[in-house]
Structures are given as structure tokens and as C-alpha cells.
Amino acid sequence: MSSTGSKADVLQQVNQFWSILDDLSQNDPTAYRKLIEKQMKEGAGFSAPPELDSCLRTEIVEPKKGSLYINICSWKRVPAPQDPSVPLPLCAGKLETDTNEGQGGYTVLDVAFNPEVLQESKKNKTELYILALSFARQQYGMRLIQQYTVVSCSPKSSPDDLHRRLGFRHPSRQPNTASQTPADLLQQISSLRSEKQHKDPAAQIICRSAENKKKDLIQVISSKSVQPQKPEYKLEVKTDNEGVARSMELTVELPKVCSMSECQLRISKDDVLLEVEDVYYLLLEFSKTVIEDTASAIFNKKKRILTLRVDVDVF
């Protein structure tokens, strides 16, 4: 079909829609007003700016050493997840690098999620934090230290800074709908929808596969890397003669790993993260609170099995 024909078809559909709105405004003004207000409210919601939720700080080892700040943001423009079996979208802005006098260089990255995602993770944002860190590693080729901290704010974290890096532009003020014709209202709705779909070239939508809602696995899908796999594992509680839990033992089969140096291992009192870049990714919650300082890990090169042991906090 020619482009001229396509435009004519679209114009015909728009004219039909205008005619329907005209009829509705004359025959059922209340229904007409509700329809318009609903469309305007939805459009205005997507025109709301991103808002800072929390901030992480970690250290970059490669390609250039320095601090990395990741601003976790809430933004209605990022699609909400439809169900646990589909990827979870996030939007990332432009990287910004600068130097603090006496403290060296630093990099700032903004990562935005739909507000529903942040609300669901309100009590424990560990999964989202790890997703953001994984994105930084895979999308920008960064090698980061295993530890991170939650800080009150980052350099250059004002609303204007966030908006600039994420490509948000304030919409122009819209006139009162009470005095507008159906054609004017349709144009206004169209304008809001266009702003909803506008996306700065620097902003990117990436995803993580969500096999289920349980915080069990995060996989960042990037055009620059291979999707990591969830390795086979066994997590056991070791008890004493009286049946009291004394330690946790995790064994993980890593047939594609040749050395312990390929593994990034992070452990807290509540969970453990094992990551082999572009190969394996495993995030598990402990059934008991553990003492992370007692953790030890051994990799059997012959069997390609990693064994982690950590004491249970019995107090």
C-alpha cells in the first residue's frame, strides 16, 4: 500500500472518530466528559517527571577506577510489568562523569522503574539494586567491586539533573477542557500521547527475565552480552546432634567455570549472590540468618563445583 493511501485511511479513521465524539458530546454530554477526562488523566500521568527513590554507591575497578553512583528512580513512563512471566522493563539515562576535588572521579547513572515495581519492593529493594548493578556491568562493560552501600544522595542528583540525563521534557501547560471542541480535545490527547511515546536517544529500555515473582533470579538481557543461566545448586541446613541449626552449606555446579577468579560472590546475613559474567547468575535467600564474616568458599577444579559454608546466627 502506498504512503498516500495509508495517510488517507488514517485521516478517514480520524474523521470518523471526530464524528463519534461530536455525536457523543451532543447526545450524552456526561459520558463524553468522562471519556475525555479519563484520556486526559492517563496522558497527564505519563507526562509526570521521574522522581528519585534511593541511591547506591559502589566502586568501579575497570575500565577506569572511581566511584559509581546509581540513582534508583520512579517514573510512570516506564511500562508496568503485566505478569510475572514477562520481562521487567527499566529505563536508563546517559552516563555522566565528573571529578570531586580531593576525592577523584565519579560516574552517575540513573535507572528508572515503574512506580508499581518500587512499591512492591518497598520493604526490600535488594533485587532491584542488584538488577541496576548488573545493568551497569553488562551495558557499559564495568567491573565493579562486590559490595555496595545505600547512600542519601549522589552528586548531581537534583531534579533538573535527573530530567536531563533521562531525557524528560516538561510538557507545555494544557488549556481547560471545559471550553474545548471534540477536535481540540482530540488534538490535546494526541499531544499527550506523543509525549508519552517520546524517548530521548540516550534512554534505553532493557529487561530482566522474571520466571516468577519470588526474588529468585535476575537476568539482564543486553545486546552486548549472552544471557546468563541459573546453575544447578543445593542449599542445606547443617544441624548439631540436638537438631539445632549451626551452619548453611551451598553447593553449586559450574561446569563452564575453570577458576574461582571467574566468580563474583556476595553474601549478606539474608542472602547470597553468585555471578559469573555472561555465564551464570544465582541469587538465593537463606532460610536462617547467617553470620557473613564466617563464610568460606572452595572451588573444586576437577568436579567444577563451588562449596560455600557459613555459620547460622543462633542468637
Side-chain angles (χ1 to χ4, degrees):
M1 182 182 293
S2 67
S3 59
T4 303
S6 298
K7 290 180 180 178
D9 291 340
V10 171
L11 183 59
Q12 182 180 2
Q13 293 175 10
V14 170
N15 288 331
Q16 289 175 349
F17 184 50
W18 281 352
S19 177
I20 293 172
L21 283 179
D22 278 325
D23 291 342
L24 187 62
S25 66
Q26 294 174 11
N27 300 327
D28 194 343
T30 301
Y32 164 74
R33 185 59 53 192
K34 286 182 178 179
L35 172 64
I36 296 302
E37 288 177 352
K38 179 177 181 293
Q39 294 296 319
M40 293 297 297
K41 184 177 180 181
E42 290 180 357
F46 283 103
S47 297
E51 297 179 356
L52 181 64
D53 176 85
S54 53
C55 179
L56 311 180
R57 177 179 176 175
T58 187
E59 297 297 321
I60 303 172
V61 179
E62 291 178 350
K64 186 177 181 180
K65 291 186 177 180
S67 297
L68 172 65
Y69 293 90
I70 301 181
N71 292 318
I72 306 298
C73 304
S74 172
W75 200 8
K76 289 184 178 179
R77 192 171 294 183
V78 180
Q82 299 302 311
D83 66 72
S85 64
V86 299
L88 172 67
L90 67 81
C91 179
K94 292 180 179 178
L95 279 180
E96 184 166 6
T97 302
D98 207 337
T99 303
N100 269 337
E101 186 175 350
Q103 297 182 7
Y106 66 86
T107 300
V108 180
L109 172 64
D110 307 308
V111 176
F113 296 93
N114 185 274
E116 293 181 12
V117 175
L118 288 165
Q119 184 61 33
E120 289 180 1
S121 306
K122 189 174 182 179
K123 294 184 178 179
N124 186 355
K125 294 188 174 75
T126 301
E127 182 181 8
L128 296 184
Y129 291 162
I130 293 174
L131 173 58
L133 291 165
S134 295
F135 169 69
R137 290 190 183 100
Q138 297 188 21
Q139 192 72 11
Y140 297 104
M142 295 180 181
R143 187 160 73 88
L144 309 175
I145 64 172
Q146 297 179 16
Q147 297 79 20
Y148 68 87
T149 55
V150 180
V151 296
S152 57
C153 65
S154 71
K156 298 188 176 182
S157 60
S158 69
D160 287 342
D161 289 324
L162 295 176
H163 300 171
R164 171 174 51 81
R165 289 191 296 263
L166 284 166
F168 172 77
R169 296 185 301 180
H170 287 281
S172 57
R173 187 170 181 177
Q174 301 296 337
N176 190 335
T177 61
S179 60
Q180 291 179 282
T181 66
D184 293 332
L185 287 167
L186 185 62
Q187 178 62 38
Q188 187 176 346
I189 293 170
S190 176
S191 175
L192 286 169
R193 293 297 185 185
S194 296
E195 292 198 18
K196 168 187 171 182
Q197 294 175 0
H198 168 76
K199 190 167 56 178
D200 186 273
Q204 306 166 42
I205 296 294
I206 64 164
C207 307
R208 62 109 166 134
S209 83
E211 292 182 350
N212 49 55
K213 269 194 172 180
K214 194 171 182 180
K215 294 171 185 175
D216 177 59
L217 176 65
I218 305 171
Q219 297 177 346
V220 179
I221 301 172
S222 169
S223 59
K224 295 184 179 180
S225 61
V226 178
Q227 183 175 339
Q229 299 176 350
K230 182 177 181 179
E232 295 293 328
Y233 70 91
K234 184 178 182 181
L235 182 59
E236 296 180 291
V237 178
K238 300 294 184 179
T239 60
D240 59 18
N241 294 333
E242 297 179 355
V244 178
R246 292 296 179 182
S247 65
M248 304 286 293
E249 182 176 284
L250 171 65
T251 56
V252 188
E253 297 180 15
L254 303 171
K256 297 180 181 180
V257 173
C258 298
S259 170
M260 184 70 179
S261 62
E262 299 177 48
C263 304
Q264 294 190 45
L265 194 62
R266 182 191 64 79
I267 185 170
S268 72
K269 62 184 180 66
D270 300 312
D271 56 27
V272 59
L273 168 67
L274 171 64
E275 186 174 17
V276 179
E277 189 172 359
D278 295 339
V279 182
Y280 295 116
Y281 195 103
L282 180 66
L283 175 64
L284 297 174
E285 292 185 356
F286 291 125
S287 58
K288 307 284 185 181
T289 301
V290 303
I291 307 172
E292 54 259 59
D293 293 340
T294 65
S296 63
I298 299 174
F299 180 68
N300 187 316
K301 291 185 178 181
K302 186 176 181 180
K303 296 182 178 180
R304 307 288 178 91
I305 292 178
L306 175 71
T307 302
L308 170 72
R309 296 184 179 87
V310 61
D311 293 342
V312 170
D313 190 349
V314 295
F315 298 103

